[in-house]
Amino acid sequence: MKVVIVGGVAGGATAAARIRRLDENAEVVVFERSGYVSYANCGLPYYIGGVIEDPAELTLQTPESFWRRFRIDMRVRHEVTAVHPERKTVSVRNLGTGEEFEESYDKLLLSPGAKPMQPPLPGVGLDRLFTLRTVEDTLAIRNFVEREHPKSVVLAGGGFISLETAENLRELGLDVTIVQRPKQLMNPFDPEMAAFIHAKLREHGIKLLLGRSVEGFESVPGAVQVLLKDEAPLAADMVVLAIGVTPDTRLAKEAGLALGAKNSIVVNDRMETSVPGIYAVGDAVQVKHFVTGENALVSLAGPANKQGRIAADNICGGDSRFTGTQGSSVIKVFDMTAAATGINERTAKAAGINCDKVYLSPASHAGYYPGGRVMTVKVLFEAGTYRLLGAQIVGYEGVDKRIDVLATAIRAGLTALELKELDLAYAPPYSSAKDPVNMAGFMIENLAEGTVKQFHWDQADFLPRDGSVTLLDVRTPQEYGNGHMEGFYHIPVDELRERLKELDRTKPIYVVCQSGLRSYIACRILAQSGFDCYNLSGGYRLYESAVLDRAAAERTFPCGMDRT
């Protein structure tokens, strides 16, 4: 059997090695357009910033090491220009010599990945304008930084690559501005969770121009002008386009393979395309979202690696199946960590799912053990069924651990109520006896049993201030004095039992504390004293973060400077 693989990196290289492990006699040929057949995509921004010092560390395998270990013919700088399913060949161009030839195959695997989106804007292609996809792109950016010593950079786009590149360039001392058409960064997160990411970036001096559209670029002496819609242009020493990726599926389209969402390649759960004997994996393929069951594009290394293994199994006569992806992801934002799994609230509503949510702000480990830091957790579930839909966490240590537990719970089909039953490891340096994941389950159980009713941060400003309801803040006098919502009466929770006569039992009462815990305790006191009580989920801390984020975005001038 002869297998030709188009594209290396995560999916293609994984499949090649797996095929060899399953079939010692298979002939395997991999064609890779770049000069590197297997490299760490996710590490590229960290080489730009010098965190990864040796470029060789980015290269996981070389053609020579693949041959020595697996006897696989890896040909870099070879571009497949056409696929001919009718005669089972591919047309190939050697980018070094210009030679063109056809290569036959018995089975074909397409792993072309995704390419950076470069909309047809004026000025795309200027010398000081970069994209980041390959090792060559990374070397070009780092060489420019070392040679030209730029002092400023504009990044167009606000996803993973943009934020990681922004952080690394900021750590090198550059003045960094991120321009993003949507009004928030990091699409997997809901706005109130993204607000913590925005605050961290601003804390480190990165300017955010959200809700702005880039309309083109102009070259000026020693710089680039970034043209913005209806606003003054931005001047920068360099620009990085990171506005997203699009499936690189020209070969598949021209070969007549069925295409799906955004021209991605349609595959079945065995990773086989509409043409028998041709498989496809990675960022170029359409998959099923595990939570919604809808078609999706998920550009992450984890699913690509799994798909490569599954395709290899089936190429070698097995019957492996890809059951879908839920988009579990994590990102470092300076000293902070943000992670998500499943779907967010926006996606749930778009899919017609009736969702509910809880917020909590637990410490990363036992409060009495030094060094614990607060994380903010949002867990989404389907109302009525309590099916877990997704989770988002922003914090410091322990974020990755909790998101992985929640991702596993979603994959295992656990309900939100069953989170309270998980038997999770505990020692004071690592967690609390009631882990944050367990706590989320307890909170959801309280909602299910009617022990507590809640309202949310985006409803607080719309509560009536005409006296028809009671608004109550139960934090300490110092906390209340440092900032509170308009119209909220103040009674510290520890004084509440003695001061119940100050409150009107005939009116609904809405209660707030800093994180939602003390206000929950207050609601239990009030409910058992005859009050109709509602707790602010996530507390004043979440409310304040979201409101301050909105205010910061409104204060920002097009040049990235605040009016103040």
Side-chain angles (χ1 to χ4, degrees):
M1 178 177 66
K2 181 177 180 180
V3 183
V4 168
I5 298 176
V6 180
V9 199
T14 294
R18 176 69 172 172
I19 290 169
R20 175 58 72 233
R21 290 194 292 270
L22 296 175
D23 187 343
E24 182 64 20
N25 298 312
E27 179 183 359
V28 183
V29 182
V30 180
F31 294 112
E32 167 60 40
R33 181 170 47 197
S34 76
Y36 301 84
V37 72
S38 180
Y39 56 88
N41 287 72
C42 300
L44 299 182
Y46 298 100
Y47 176 70
I48 292 171
V51 177
I52 299 172
E53 298 179 356
D54 186 352
E57 294 294 327
L58 296 173
T59 305
L60 305 178
Q61 293 280 358
T62 65
E64 294 76 19
S65 66
F66 251 105
W67 179 257
R68 286 194 303 269
R69 180 65 53 86
F70 298 110
R71 296 299 188 268
I72 288 173
D73 184 4
M74 291 280 190
R75 303 187 203 178
V76 296
R77 301 287 295 160
H78 280 68
E79 181 179 14
V80 174
T81 57
V83 176
H84 312 288
E86 69 282 356
R87 58 180 183 268
K88 289 195 169 184
T89 65
V90 295
S91 295
V92 186
R93 179 185 298 119
N94 184 326
L95 298 179
T97 66
E99 173 196 6
E100 296 187 5
F101 59 93
E102 282 199 9
E103 189 82 19
S104 65
Y105 65 82
D106 296 311
K107 299 288 179 68
L108 177 66
L109 174 63
L110 301 177
S111 180
K115 56 188 177 182
M117 292 179 64
Q118 295 195 43
L121 298 174
V124 168
L126 294 175
D127 289 343
R128 292 172 176 264
L129 196 151
F130 301 88
T131 58
L132 183 55
R133 181 197 184 198
T134 66
V135 174
E136 287 90 345
D137 295 336
T138 308
L139 297 176
I141 294 173
R142 177 153 170 174
N143 289 340
F144 179 86
V145 170
E146 292 178 344
R147 183 181 69 251
E148 301 292 335
H149 305 290
K151 291 183 170 53
S152 61
V153 59
V154 170
L155 293 104
F160 289 93
I161 291 295
S162 178
L163 265 63
E164 290 166 346
T165 304
E167 175 183 337
N168 279 276
L169 290 174
R170 182 62 184 154
E171 295 283 29
L172 291 177
L174 275 72
D175 184 58
V176 179
T177 301
I178 299 176
V179 181
Q180 165 90 333
R181 180 180 298 172
K183 293 185 178 181
Q184 72 163 81
L185 304 176
M186 296 300 294
N187 188 55
F189 294 83
D190 287 313
E192 73 280 15
M193 299 299 287
F196 292 103
I197 300 173
H198 298 170
K200 179 58 65 174
L201 293 169
R202 292 185 178 112
E203 175 188 322
H204 284 265
I206 292 178
K207 304 177 186 68
L208 305 182
L209 298 183
L210 307 178
R212 270 77 167 196
S213 297
V214 175
E215 293 200 319
F217 310 92
E218 288 181 355
S219 181
V220 295
V224 178
Q225 290 268 27
V226 181
L227 308 179
L228 302 178
K229 183 178 181 180
D230 300 328
E231 297 190 22
L234 295 169
D237 296 332
M238 62 183 295
V239 173
V240 179
L241 274 181
I243 57 177
V245 295
T246 184
D248 191 355
T249 55
R250 179 189 63 83
L251 288 175
K253 181 177 181 180
E254 293 178 355
L257 276 61
L259 301 181
K262 296 183 180 178
N263 286 322
S264 57
I265 303 171
V266 173
V267 293
N268 59 23
D269 59 359
R270 302 179 75 251
M271 307 313 298
E272 191 167 22
T273 70
S274 58
V275 176
I278 300 181
Y279 297 78
V281 300
D283 295 350
V285 305
Q286 174 181 284
V287 297
K288 294 291 183 184
H289 197 286
F290 184 79
V291 175
T292 65
E294 296 179 351
N295 294 329
L297 291 173
V298 179
S299 298
L300 293 170
N305 276 278
K306 295 180 184 73
Q307 292 161 13
R309 178 185 176 91
I310 289 166
D313 288 352
N314 294 320
I315 285 171
C316 294
D319 188 26
S320 292
R321 306 279 172 161
F322 185 67
T323 57
T325 182
Q326 60 200 63
S328 300
S329 58
V330 64
I331 186 171
K332 173 184 176 293
V333 186
F334 293 97
D335 61 334
M336 192 171 75
T337 301
T341 187
I343 59 174
N344 58 25
E345 191 171 355
R346 179 177 60 253
T347 302
K349 290 177 178 177
I353 300 172
N354 183 18
C355 69
D356 203 349
K357 61 202 172 190
V358 293
Y359 300 94
L360 58 156
S361 299
S364 54
H365 59 242
Y368 58 84
Y369 188 88
R373 302 187 71 177
V374 170
M375 64 179 74
T376 303
V377 182
K378 178 178 184 178
V379 177
L380 281 150
F381 56 93
E382 187 173 34
T385 70
Y386 297 95
R387 175 170 68 106
L388 277 171
L389 301 174
Q392 301 156 49
I393 310 178
V394 181
Y396 298 88
E397 66 177 43
V399 167
D400 54 339
K401 168 183 174 178
R402 275 59 184 228
I403 207 69
D404 282 343
V405 171
L406 289 162
T408 303
I410 292 172
R411 178 65 57 162
L414 300 184
T415 69
L417 296 172
E418 290 176 300
L419 295 178
K420 70 182 188 296
E421 299 171 9
L422 293 178
D423 193 351
L424 303 175
Y426 159 63
Y430 302 105
S431 184
S432 300
K434 292 184 286 189
D435 187 86
V437 175
N438 296 136
M439 288 301 302
F442 295 146
M443 292 172 66
I444 294 166
E445 180 184 47
N446 284 339
L447 289 173
E449 295 182 349
T451 305
V452 68
K453 294 183 287 187
Q454 62 182 5
F455 68 109
H456 296 293
W457 69 273
D458 53 352
Q459 300 170 319
D461 287 343
F462 298 98
L463 294 172
R465 264 70 173 178
D466 59 2
S468 59
V469 302
T470 300
L471 308 177
L472 180 64
D473 190 318
V474 297
R475 295 176 297 159
T476 65
Q478 182 178 356
E479 289 173 315
Y480 184 80
N482 287 339
H484 58 269
M485 288 183 279
E486 179 187 355
F488 274 72
Y489 187 62
H490 179 233
I491 301 178
V493 65
D494 293 338
E495 300 175 13
L496 184 59
R497 290 181 179 88
E498 288 72 36
R499 297 176 61 180
L500 288 176
K501 59 187 176 183
E502 298 177 29
L503 305 173
D504 187 344
R505 284 183 174 82
T506 67
K507 298 176 181 178
I509 185 166
Y510 293 82
V511 188
V512 59
C513 74
Q514 192 68 10
S515 69
L517 176 58
R518 284 172 290 170
S519 52
Y520 162 65
I521 294 170
C523 278
R524 292 307 303 141
I525 295 170
L526 292 164
Q528 294 177 83
S529 299
F531 290 87
D532 181 20
C533 190
Y534 298 83
N535 181 34
L536 178 61
S537 181
Y540 185 79
R541 177 174 173 271
L542 179 70
Y543 167 86
E544 182 183 43
S545 174
V547 170
L548 289 178
D549 182 58
R550 286 179 176 176
E554 291 172 358
R555 286 198 307 270
T556 305
F557 276 124
C559 65
M561 301 300 291
D562 284 350
R563 289 193 177 96
T564 55

